[in-house]
PDB file of all heavy atoms in Angstrom:
ATOM      1  N   PHE G 552      92.140 -34.591  90.506  1.00  0.00           N
ATOM      2  CA  PHE G 552      90.675 -34.704  90.702  1.00  0.00           C
ATOM      3  C   PHE G 552      89.904 -33.500  90.200  1.00  0.00           C
ATOM      4  O   PHE G 552      88.744 -33.589  89.863  1.00  0.00           O
ATOM      5  CB  PHE G 552      90.355 -35.000  92.183  1.00  0.00           C
ATOM      6  CG  PHE G 552      90.643 -36.416  92.555  1.00  0.00           C
ATOM      7  CD1 PHE G 552      91.865 -36.801  93.026  1.00  0.00           C
ATOM      8  CD2 PHE G 552      89.664 -37.405  92.317  1.00  0.00           C
ATOM      9  CE1 PHE G 552      92.110 -38.134  93.314  1.00  0.00           C
ATOM     10  CE2 PHE G 552      89.918 -38.730  92.571  1.00  0.00           C
ATOM     11  CZ  PHE G 552      91.135 -39.094  93.103  1.00  0.00           C
ATOM     12  N   LEU G 553      90.581 -32.351  90.137  1.00  0.00           N
ATOM     13  CA  LEU G 553      89.990 -31.165  89.481  1.00  0.00           C
ATOM     14  C   LEU G 553      89.748 -31.515  87.960  1.00  0.00           C
ATOM     15  O   LEU G 553      88.748 -31.104  87.388  1.00  0.00           O
ATOM     16  CB  LEU G 553      90.866 -29.940  89.614  1.00  0.00           C
ATOM     17  CG  LEU G 553      90.415 -28.705  88.828  1.00  0.00           C
ATOM     18  CD1 LEU G 553      88.989 -28.249  89.315  1.00  0.00           C
ATOM     19  CD2 LEU G 553      91.398 -27.597  88.984  1.00  0.00           C
ATOM     20  N   SER G 554      90.668 -32.239  87.380  1.00  0.00           N
ATOM     21  CA  SER G 554      90.545 -32.580  85.959  1.00  0.00           C
ATOM     22  C   SER G 554      89.333 -33.464  85.741  1.00  0.00           C
ATOM     23  O   SER G 554      88.688 -33.409  84.667  1.00  0.00           O
ATOM     24  CB  SER G 554      91.818 -33.292  85.467  1.00  0.00           C
ATOM     25  OG  SER G 554      92.024 -34.509  86.053  1.00  0.00           O
ATOM     26  N   VAL G 555      88.998 -34.350  86.726  1.00  0.00           N
ATOM     27  CA  VAL G 555      87.760 -35.140  86.618  1.00  0.00           C
ATOM     28  C   VAL G 555      86.529 -34.221  86.534  1.00  0.00           C
ATOM     29  O   VAL G 555      85.661 -34.436  85.709  1.00  0.00           O
ATOM     30  CB  VAL G 555      87.628 -36.113  87.833  1.00  0.00           C
ATOM     31  CG1 VAL G 555      86.375 -36.949  87.689  1.00  0.00           C
ATOM     32  CG2 VAL G 555      88.828 -36.997  87.946  1.00  0.00           C
ATOM     33  N   PHE G 556      86.478 -33.275  87.429  1.00  0.00           N
ATOM     34  CA  PHE G 556      85.323 -32.349  87.471  1.00  0.00           C
ATOM     35  C   PHE G 556      85.198 -31.605  86.161  1.00  0.00           C
ATOM     36  O   PHE G 556      84.095 -31.484  85.616  1.00  0.00           O
ATOM     37  CB  PHE G 556      85.478 -31.396  88.645  1.00  0.00           C
ATOM     38  CG  PHE G 556      84.471 -30.280  88.640  1.00  0.00           C
ATOM     39  CD1 PHE G 556      83.159 -30.487  89.040  1.00  0.00           C
ATOM     40  CD2 PHE G 556      84.798 -29.008  88.155  1.00  0.00           C
ATOM     41  CE1 PHE G 556      82.243 -29.456  88.988  1.00  0.00           C
ATOM     42  CE2 PHE G 556      83.910 -28.009  88.105  1.00  0.00           C
ATOM     43  CZ  PHE G 556      82.593 -28.214  88.549  1.00  0.00           C
ATOM     44  N   LEU G 557      86.300 -31.089  85.646  1.00  0.00           N
ATOM     45  CA  LEU G 557      86.282 -30.306  84.433  1.00  0.00           C
ATOM     46  C   LEU G 557      85.775 -31.171  83.264  1.00  0.00           C
ATOM     47  O   LEU G 557      85.055 -30.687  82.382  1.00  0.00           O
ATOM     48  CB  LEU G 557      87.657 -29.736  84.137  1.00  0.00           C
ATOM     49  CG  LEU G 557      88.176 -28.645  85.068  1.00  0.00           C
ATOM     50  CD1 LEU G 557      89.608 -28.276  84.720  1.00  0.00           C
ATOM     51  CD2 LEU G 557      87.281 -27.401  84.997  1.00  0.00           C
ATOM     52  N   SER G 558      86.209 -32.396  83.220  1.00  0.00           N
ATOM     53  CA  SER G 558      85.830 -33.286  82.163  1.00  0.00           C
ATOM     54  C   SER G 558      84.326 -33.587  82.204  1.00  0.00           C
ATOM     55  O   SER G 558      83.630 -33.534  81.144  1.00  0.00           O
ATOM     56  CB  SER G 558      86.613 -34.623  82.264  1.00  0.00           C
ATOM     57  OG  SER G 558      86.266 -35.490  81.209  1.00  0.00           O
ATOM     58  N   ILE G 559      83.789 -33.838  83.378  1.00  0.00           N
ATOM     59  CA  ILE G 559      82.354 -34.143  83.505  1.00  0.00           C
ATOM     60  C   ILE G 559      81.547 -32.894  83.237  1.00  0.00           C
ATOM     61  O   ILE G 559      80.509 -32.946  82.538  1.00  0.00           O
ATOM     62  CB  ILE G 559      82.052 -34.729  84.874  1.00  0.00           C
ATOM     63  CG1 ILE G 559      82.755 -36.094  85.071  1.00  0.00           C
ATOM     64  CG2 ILE G 559      80.565 -34.876  85.092  1.00  0.00           C
ATOM     65  CD1 ILE G 559      82.654 -36.648  86.480  1.00  0.00           C
ATOM     66  N   PHE G 560      81.955 -31.768  83.793  1.00  0.00           N
ATOM     67  CA  PHE G 560      81.176 -30.510  83.632  1.00  0.00           C
ATOM     68  C   PHE G 560      81.166 -30.076  82.160  1.00  0.00           C
ATOM     69  O   PHE G 560      80.126 -29.726  81.626  1.00  0.00           O
ATOM     70  CB  PHE G 560      81.811 -29.416  84.479  1.00  0.00           C
ATOM     71  CG  PHE G 560      81.087 -28.107  84.379  1.00  0.00           C
ATOM     72  CD1 PHE G 560      79.866 -27.901  84.956  1.00  0.00           C
ATOM     73  CD2 PHE G 560      81.655 -27.033  83.635  1.00  0.00           C
ATOM     74  CE1 PHE G 560      79.154 -26.692  84.840  1.00  0.00           C
ATOM     75  CE2 PHE G 560      80.984 -25.813  83.513  1.00  0.00           C
ATOM     76  CZ  PHE G 560      79.735 -25.655  84.166  1.00  0.00           C
ATOM     77  N   GLY G 561      82.344 -30.143  81.503  1.00  0.00           N
ATOM     78  CA  GLY G 561      82.402 -29.797  80.094  1.00  0.00           C
ATOM     79  C   GLY G 561      81.480 -30.666  79.226  1.00  0.00           C
ATOM     80  O   GLY G 561      80.795 -30.223  78.338  1.00  0.00           O
ATOM     81  N   SER G 562      81.519 -31.966  79.558  1.00  0.00           N
ATOM     82  CA  SER G 562      80.646 -32.922  78.809  1.00  0.00           C
ATOM     83  C   SER G 562      79.188 -32.593  79.046  1.00  0.00           C
ATOM     84  O   SER G 562      78.381 -32.603  78.090  1.00  0.00           O
ATOM     85  CB  SER G 562      80.957 -34.354  79.253  1.00  0.00           C
ATOM     86  OG  SER G 562      82.304 -34.679  78.984  1.00  0.00           O
ATOM     87  N   TRP G 563      78.836 -32.272  80.286  1.00  0.00           N
ATOM     88  CA  TRP G 563      77.422 -31.979  80.587  1.00  0.00           C
ATOM     89  C   TRP G 563      76.933 -30.741  79.840  1.00  0.00           C
ATOM     90  O   TRP G 563      75.828 -30.793  79.272  1.00  0.00           O
ATOM     91  CB  TRP G 563      77.249 -31.767  82.099  1.00  0.00           C
ATOM     92  CG  TRP G 563      75.861 -31.343  82.484  1.00  0.00           C
ATOM     93  CD1 TRP G 563      74.747 -32.154  82.541  1.00  0.00           C
ATOM     94  CD2 TRP G 563      75.448 -30.032  82.818  1.00  0.00           C
ATOM     95  NE1 TRP G 563      73.664 -31.382  82.899  1.00  0.00           N
ATOM     96  CE2 TRP G 563      74.049 -30.101  83.053  1.00  0.00           C
ATOM     97  CE3 TRP G 563      76.113 -28.806  82.915  1.00  0.00           C
ATOM     98  CZ2 TRP G 563      73.305 -28.970  83.433  1.00  0.00           C
ATOM     99  CZ3 TRP G 563      75.385 -27.703  83.277  1.00  0.00           C
ATOM    100  CH2 TRP G 563      73.991 -27.776  83.527  1.00  0.00           C
ATOM    101  N   VAL G 564      77.702 -29.672  79.845  1.00  0.00           N
ATOM    102  CA  VAL G 564      77.294 -28.429  79.160  1.00  0.00           C
ATOM    103  C   VAL G 564      77.105 -28.719  77.694  1.00  0.00           C
ATOM    104  O   VAL G 564      76.094 -28.319  77.069  1.00  0.00           O
ATOM    105  CB  VAL G 564      78.298 -27.334  79.433  1.00  0.00           C
ATOM    106  CG1 VAL G 564      77.950 -26.114  78.532  1.00  0.00           C
ATOM    107  CG2 VAL G 564      78.339 -26.907  80.873  1.00  0.00           C
ATOM    108  N   ALA G 565      78.061 -29.396  77.062  1.00  0.00           N
ATOM    109  CA  ALA G 565      78.016 -29.667  75.602  1.00  0.00           C
ATOM    110  C   ALA G 565      76.828 -30.564  75.252  1.00  0.00           C
ATOM    111  O   ALA G 565      76.098 -30.260  74.307  1.00  0.00           O
ATOM    112  CB  ALA G 565      79.319 -30.319  75.177  1.00  0.00           C
ATOM    113  N   ILE G 566      76.625 -31.629  76.013  1.00  0.00           N
ATOM    114  CA  ILE G 566      75.539 -32.555  75.740  1.00  0.00           C
ATOM    115  C   ILE G 566      74.165 -31.914  76.002  1.00  0.00           C
ATOM    116  O   ILE G 566      73.233 -32.107  75.202  1.00  0.00           O
ATOM    117  CB  ILE G 566      75.688 -33.855  76.557  1.00  0.00           C
ATOM    118  CG1 ILE G 566      76.928 -34.635  76.058  1.00  0.00           C
ATOM    119  CG2 ILE G 566      74.449 -34.711  76.440  1.00  0.00           C
ATOM    120  CD1 ILE G 566      77.277 -35.813  76.923  1.00  0.00           C
ATOM    121  N   TRP G 567      74.103 -31.106  77.057  1.00  0.00           N
ATOM    122  CA  TRP G 567      72.812 -30.428  77.335  1.00  0.00           C
ATOM    123  C   TRP G 567      72.411 -29.474  76.231  1.00  0.00           C
ATOM    124  O   TRP G 567      71.261 -29.470  75.793  1.00  0.00           O
ATOM    125  CB  TRP G 567      72.912 -29.701  78.685  1.00  0.00           C
ATOM    126  CG  TRP G 567      71.653 -29.017  79.052  1.00  0.00           C
ATOM    127  CD1 TRP G 567      70.503 -29.560  79.518  1.00  0.00           C
ATOM    128  CD2 TRP G 567      71.438 -27.580  78.959  1.00  0.00           C
ATOM    129  NE1 TRP G 567      69.567 -28.552  79.733  1.00  0.00           N
ATOM    130  CE2 TRP G 567      70.093 -27.362  79.401  1.00  0.00           C
ATOM    131  CE3 TRP G 567      72.213 -26.483  78.595  1.00  0.00           C
ATOM    132  CZ2 TRP G 567      69.551 -26.119  79.469  1.00  0.00           C
ATOM    133  CZ3 TRP G 567      71.641 -25.248  78.631  1.00  0.00           C
ATOM    134  CH2 TRP G 567      70.298 -25.024  79.048  1.00  0.00           C
ATOM    135  N   ILE G 568      73.356 -28.662  75.764  1.00  0.00           N
ATOM    136  CA  ILE G 568      73.065 -27.706  74.702  1.00  0.00           C
ATOM    137  C   ILE G 568      72.707 -28.453  73.406  1.00  0.00           C
ATOM    138  O   ILE G 568      71.757 -28.071  72.687  1.00  0.00           O
ATOM    139  CB  ILE G 568      74.238 -26.785  74.479  1.00  0.00           C
ATOM    140  CG1 ILE G 568      74.370 -25.808  75.686  1.00  0.00           C
ATOM    141  CG2 ILE G 568      74.048 -25.917  73.164  1.00  0.00           C
ATOM    142  CD1 ILE G 568      75.573 -24.887  75.614  1.00  0.00           C
ATOM    143  N   ALA G 569      73.435 -29.515  73.095  1.00  0.00           N
ATOM    144  CA  ALA G 569      73.123 -30.265  71.902  1.00  0.00           C
ATOM    145  C   ALA G 569      71.734 -30.906  71.945  1.00  0.00           C
ATOM    146  O   ALA G 569      71.017 -30.942  70.941  1.00  0.00           O
ATOM    147  CB  ALA G 569      74.156 -31.367  71.677  1.00  0.00           C
ATOM    148  N   SER G 570      71.333 -31.301  73.135  1.00  0.00           N
ATOM    149  CA  SER G 570      70.037 -31.992  73.284  1.00  0.00           C
ATOM    150  C   SER G 570      68.876 -30.984  73.233  1.00  0.00           C
ATOM    151  O   SER G 570      67.795 -31.294  72.756  1.00  0.00           O
ATOM    152  CB  SER G 570      69.967 -32.769  74.617  1.00  0.00           C
ATOM    153  OG  SER G 570      70.971 -33.728  74.665  1.00  0.00           O
ATOM    154  N   GLU G 571      69.097 -29.749  73.724  1.00  0.00           N
ATOM    155  CA  GLU G 571      68.014 -28.762  73.757  1.00  0.00           C
ATOM    156  C   GLU G 571      67.802 -28.120  72.442  1.00  0.00           C
ATOM    157  O   GLU G 571      66.665 -27.765  72.095  1.00  0.00           O
ATOM    158  CB  GLU G 571      68.385 -27.713  74.820  1.00  0.00           C
ATOM    159  CG  GLU G 571      68.341 -28.195  76.242  1.00  0.00           C
ATOM    160  CD  GLU G 571      66.971 -28.727  76.664  1.00  0.00           C
ATOM    161  OE1 GLU G 571      65.957 -27.992  76.402  1.00  0.00           O
ATOM    162  OE2 GLU G 571      66.850 -29.871  77.134  1.00  0.00           O
ATOM    163  N   SER G 572      68.855 -27.868  71.657  1.00  0.00           N
ATOM    164  CA  SER G 572      68.728 -27.230  70.352  1.00  0.00           C
ATOM    165  C   SER G 572      69.530 -28.003  69.360  1.00  0.00           C
ATOM    166  O   SER G 572      70.756 -28.004  69.410  1.00  0.00           O
ATOM    167  CB  SER G 572      69.212 -25.786  70.441  1.00  0.00           C
ATOM    168  OG  SER G 572      69.089 -25.141  69.180  1.00  0.00           O
ATOM    169  N   ARG G 573      68.856 -28.668  68.405  1.00  0.00           N
ATOM    170  CA  ARG G 573      69.565 -29.634  67.529  1.00  0.00           C
ATOM    171  C   ARG G 573      69.854 -29.010  66.149  1.00  0.00           C
ATOM    172  O   ARG G 573      70.018 -29.750  65.208  1.00  0.00           O
ATOM    173  CB  ARG G 573      68.719 -30.893  67.373  1.00  0.00           C
ATOM    174  CG  ARG G 573      68.405 -31.510  68.731  1.00  0.00           C
ATOM    175  CD  ARG G 573      67.513 -32.703  68.597  1.00  0.00           C
ATOM    176  NE  ARG G 573      67.081 -33.207  69.883  1.00  0.00           N
ATOM    177  CZ  ARG G 573      66.319 -34.251  70.041  1.00  0.00           C
ATOM    178  NH1 ARG G 573      65.904 -34.931  68.997  1.00  0.00           N
ATOM    179  NH2 ARG G 573      65.979 -34.657  71.238  1.00  0.00           N
ATOM    180  N   THR G 574      69.887 -27.696  66.044  1.00  0.00           N
ATOM    181  CA  THR G 574      70.270 -27.106  64.796  1.00  0.00           C
ATOM    182  C   THR G 574      71.742 -27.336  64.512  1.00  0.00           C
ATOM    183  O   THR G 574      72.523 -27.660  65.425  1.00  0.00           O
ATOM    184  CB  THR G 574      70.005 -25.586  64.815  1.00  0.00           C
ATOM    185  OG1 THR G 574      70.824 -24.958  65.802  1.00  0.00           O
ATOM    186  CG2 THR G 574      68.519 -25.304  65.188  1.00  0.00           C
ATOM    187  N   GLY G 575      72.122 -27.136  63.265  1.00  0.00           N
ATOM    188  CA  GLY G 575      73.545 -27.341  62.885  1.00  0.00           C
ATOM    189  C   GLY G 575      74.475 -26.449  63.680  1.00  0.00           C
ATOM    190  O   GLY G 575      75.551 -26.866  64.125  1.00  0.00           O
ATOM    191  N   TYR G 576      74.050 -25.163  63.877  1.00  0.00           N
ATOM    192  CA  TYR G 576      74.906 -24.217  64.633  1.00  0.00           C
ATOM    193  C   TYR G 576      75.047 -24.646  66.108  1.00  0.00           C
ATOM    194  O   TYR G 576      76.140 -24.578  66.662  1.00  0.00           O
ATOM    195  CB  TYR G 576      74.323 -22.791  64.542  1.00  0.00           C
ATOM    196  CG  TYR G 576      74.408 -22.186  63.175  1.00  0.00           C
ATOM    197  CD1 TYR G 576      73.294 -21.902  62.452  1.00  0.00           C
ATOM    198  CD2 TYR G 576      75.613 -21.868  62.621  1.00  0.00           C
ATOM    199  CE1 TYR G 576      73.346 -21.323  61.184  1.00  0.00           C
ATOM    200  CE2 TYR G 576      75.723 -21.322  61.348  1.00  0.00           C
ATOM    201  CZ  TYR G 576      74.589 -21.042  60.654  1.00  0.00           C
ATOM    202  OH  TYR G 576      74.663 -20.508  59.378  1.00  0.00           O
ATOM    203  N   ALA G 577      73.928 -25.090  66.701  1.00  0.00           N
ATOM    204  CA  ALA G 577      73.963 -25.524  68.069  1.00  0.00           C
ATOM    205  C   ALA G 577      74.864 -26.755  68.259  1.00  0.00           C
ATOM    206  O   ALA G 577      75.628 -26.829  69.197  1.00  0.00           O
ATOM    207  CB  ALA G 577      72.572 -25.842  68.596  1.00  0.00           C
ATOM    208  N   LEU G 578      74.797 -27.682  67.311  1.00  0.00           N
ATOM    209  CA  LEU G 578      75.608 -28.914  67.370  1.00  0.00           C
ATOM    210  C   LEU G 578      77.101 -28.561  67.179  1.00  0.00           C
ATOM    211  O   LEU G 578      77.989 -29.125  67.887  1.00  0.00           O
ATOM    212  CB  LEU G 578      75.184 -29.930  66.348  1.00  0.00           C
ATOM    213  CG  LEU G 578      73.703 -30.468  66.582  1.00  0.00           C
ATOM    214  CD1 LEU G 578      73.376 -31.460  65.450  1.00  0.00           C
ATOM    215  CD2 LEU G 578      73.565 -31.094  67.927  1.00  0.00           C
ATOM    216  N   ALA G 579      77.411 -27.602  66.298  1.00  0.00           N
ATOM    217  CA  ALA G 579      78.779 -27.130  66.117  1.00  0.00           C
ATOM    218  C   ALA G 579      79.275 -26.464  67.411  1.00  0.00           C
ATOM    219  O   ALA G 579      80.403 -26.698  67.819  1.00  0.00           O
ATOM    220  CB  ALA G 579      78.867 -26.250  64.911  1.00  0.00           C
ATOM    221  N   PHE G 580      78.426 -25.656  67.995  1.00  0.00           N
ATOM    222  CA  PHE G 580      78.797 -24.969  69.248  1.00  0.00           C
ATOM    223  C   PHE G 580      79.034 -25.969  70.328  1.00  0.00           C
ATOM    224  O   PHE G 580      79.979 -25.850  71.116  1.00  0.00           O
ATOM    225  CB  PHE G 580      77.702 -23.958  69.619  1.00  0.00           C
ATOM    226  CG  PHE G 580      77.997 -23.172  70.849  1.00  0.00           C
ATOM    227  CD1 PHE G 580      79.147 -22.453  70.989  1.00  0.00           C
ATOM    228  CD2 PHE G 580      77.051 -23.169  71.930  1.00  0.00           C
ATOM    229  CE1 PHE G 580      79.394 -21.706  72.130  1.00  0.00           C
ATOM    230  CE2 PHE G 580      77.316 -22.455  73.051  1.00  0.00           C
ATOM    231  CZ  PHE G 580      78.525 -21.713  73.174  1.00  0.00           C
ATOM    232  N   SER G 581      78.172 -27.006  70.395  1.00  0.00           N
ATOM    233  CA  SER G 581      78.378 -28.080  71.371  1.00  0.00           C
ATOM    234  C   SER G 581      79.684 -28.813  71.141  1.00  0.00           C
ATOM    235  O   SER G 581      80.354 -29.182  72.107  1.00  0.00           O
ATOM    236  CB  SER G 581      77.160 -29.049  71.313  1.00  0.00           C
ATOM    237  OG  SER G 581      75.989 -28.417  71.686  1.00  0.00           O
ATOM    238  N   GLY G 582      80.041 -28.996  69.910  1.00  0.00           N
ATOM    239  CA  GLY G 582      81.309 -29.663  69.580  1.00  0.00           C
ATOM    240  C   GLY G 582      82.484 -28.844  70.072  1.00  0.00           C
ATOM    241  O   GLY G 582      83.458 -29.398  70.634  1.00  0.00           O
ATOM    242  N   VAL G 583      82.392 -27.547  69.915  1.00  0.00           N
ATOM    243  CA  VAL G 583      83.493 -26.642  70.417  1.00  0.00           C
ATOM    244  C   VAL G 583      83.525 -26.678  71.926  1.00  0.00           C
ATOM    245  O   VAL G 583      84.649 -26.732  72.529  1.00  0.00           O
ATOM    246  CB  VAL G 583      83.268 -25.194  69.904  1.00  0.00           C
ATOM    247  CG1 VAL G 583      84.248 -24.243  70.578  1.00  0.00           C
ATOM    248  CG2 VAL G 583      83.381 -25.130  68.391  1.00  0.00           C
TER     249      VAL G 583
END
């Protein structure tokens, strides 16, 4: 169940950053 949390949290951080700043560098950082 810790793995569930890590999966959701990691997805949230990546999607939030990608949505806030849509530059190529930001999208690459979100992918990482």
Side-chain angles (χ1 to χ4, degrees):
F552 283 92
L553 175 60
S554 66
V555 180
F556 170 78
L557 291 174
S558 182
I559 295 172
F560 180 75
S562 299
W563 175 76
V564 173
I566 291 173
W567 180 74
I568 291 176
S570 298
E571 291 299 310
S572 178
R573 304 177 188 181
T574 64
Y576 290 114
L578 296 179
F580 182 54
S581 296
V583 172

